[in-house]
Amino acid sequence: MLALALLLAGGAATGCGGRATTHHKPGTSHEQASGSVGTLLTAADTTGHRLREVPAQGAPEVQLTVRPDSEDGWNLQLAVKNYRFTPDSTGGAALPGAGHAHLELDGRKLARLYGSWFHLPAAQVPEGAHTLTVRLYADDHTAWAVSGKPVEGTAQLTATAPGQPDGHSHGGSPSPAPTPAPEQADRTVTITVRDGKVSPAPARTELRRGERVALRVTSDRADTLHVHGYDKELALPAGQEATLILTADRTGLFEVETHESNLVLTQLLVR
C-alpha cells in the first residue's frame, strides 16, 4: 500500500508552469531514482553534466546538418535514432532514449533544443570558421554516453561578412549571397531579463491576425526564447539583444517564455 501511494503521488506531480513531468520518488535525487537506466559515471561532459553510460546496441544517435537560410542565418536539422524529444518531462527522471539536446558553438552553449529543427540567426555567429555541436541529454540533465563519450554530432560552419560569399559548401563553388533587406514589423515588443526578473512585467500584447511582431529580448544569461503555438525559437546569447520576427497568422492566446529560466516574457493575444 505504501509503494502504491508513493507511485500515485509521483504521477500526480507537475513541473514548473503546471506541466506534467516524470518525477522521482520523494527523498531521492533524479540520478538515484533513474540509476537503473544505464550506468551513471563520475565523469562529466565539458559543461559539467555527468555522463549516463548505455550499451552501444540501441544507444541514442544524432547527426547534425547545417543549411543556410534564404533570409537569415542557418537552419539546423538533428537526425536522431533510438531517441525522442520530450520537452514536457524535462527535469524529471531519466527515461531510455528520451530527453533534449544542447547546441554549442565552439564549446559555448547557445541553446537547449527540444526538436529536430532549429534556426540559428546570423547575428549569433561571429565572422570566421566555427564548430557546431549538438549533444543528447536525459530528462534529468545527465548526458547520454557510449564507451565513456557523450552522444553528440558536429558540423562545420563559416560565417562571412555581409555581401561576402556564403561560407557553406554543398559541392561546387559558393556564389555571393545577397544581403537580405531588414524585416519590417507592425509591432515591436522590447523585453529585458535580468537577475531572473522580466522588465517590463509580463503582460498581453494584442495583435490583429496577419500583423508582424518583433520580439526584441536582452537576457543577462544564455537562454532560448520559445513562442508556444507557433513553435518558434531563438537563441538568446548572454548580454546581447536578439530579435525574433513572426507573422501572427493564428488566432488565440500564445505564451512567450524562456526555456532555461522558465520565465513568461509576454502573451500574444491574436484576434
Side-chain angles (χ1 to χ4, degrees):
M1 292 296 292
L2 178 59
L4 178 59
L6 289 173
L7 179 61
L8 292 174
T14 58
C16 295
R19 296 179 189 148
T21 62
T22 309
H23 278 290
H24 49 77
K25 183 172 64 176
T28 65
S29 68
H30 293 302
E31 295 169 350
Q32 291 170 329
S34 54
S36 60
V37 180
T39 302
L40 191 63
L41 306 181
T42 57
D45 65 7
T46 56
T47 60
H49 294 79
R50 293 181 67 180
L51 304 185
R52 186 173 293 279
E53 177 87 22
V54 292
Q57 183 70 27
E61 300 177 24
V62 60
Q63 291 185 332
L64 176 62
T65 302
V66 180
R67 299 182 178 88
D69 186 277
S70 60
E71 293 187 0
D72 171 67
W74 300 265
N75 292 315
L76 280 53
Q77 182 183 18
L78 283 66
V80 297
K81 183 178 180 182
N82 303 322
Y83 188 80
R84 68 188 188 281
F85 291 97
T86 52
D88 287 338
S89 58
T90 299
L95 298 177
H100 55 277
H102 288 186
L103 172 66
E104 295 180 358
L105 177 70
D106 300 331
R108 176 176 61 89
K109 182 181 175 182
L110 290 181
R112 186 189 292 178
L113 310 184
Y114 296 91
S116 297
W117 289 92
F118 183 80
H119 179 253
L120 178 61
Q124 310 302 321
V125 184
E127 185 177 349
H130 305 278
T131 299
L132 285 173
T133 302
V134 288
R135 187 176 303 117
L136 300 184
Y137 291 82
D139 283 331
D140 67 348
H141 304 290
T142 53
W144 294 112
V146 174
S147 301
K149 297 182 179 181
V151 176
E152 60 186 34
T154 61
Q156 303 304 309
L157 179 153
T158 300
T160 56
Q164 297 299 314
D166 194 342
H168 299 278
S169 177
H170 297 274
S173 300
S175 57
T179 302
E183 293 184 273
Q184 300 297 320
D186 301 298
R187 185 81 58 84
T188 298
V189 180
T190 303
I191 300 170
T192 300
V193 180
R194 184 178 298 278
D195 297 328
K197 297 181 179 179
V198 180
S199 179
R204 289 186 177 179
T205 301
E206 295 193 13
L207 300 166
R208 294 190 305 274
R209 184 173 183 176
E211 282 190 310
R212 290 172 63 78
V213 59
L215 301 171
R216 300 174 58 184
V217 181
T218 303
S219 173
D220 61 351
R221 55 171 290 183
D223 214 319
T224 303
L225 175 75
H226 182 211
V227 183
H228 287 279
Y230 285 86
D231 291 328
K232 296 288 187 180
E233 292 192 346
L234 176 68
L236 300 176
Q240 298 182 30
E241 183 180 83
T243 302
L244 173 67
I245 298 180
L246 64 85
T247 301
D249 55 4
R250 194 175 307 172
T251 58
L253 183 64
F254 308 96
E255 281 194 346
V256 180
E257 67 170 12
T258 57
H259 272 315
E260 298 287 342
S261 51
N262 293 317
L263 296 173
V264 175
L265 304 184
T266 188
Q267 293 179 325
L268 302 181
L269 179 59
V270 185
R271 301 181 186 277

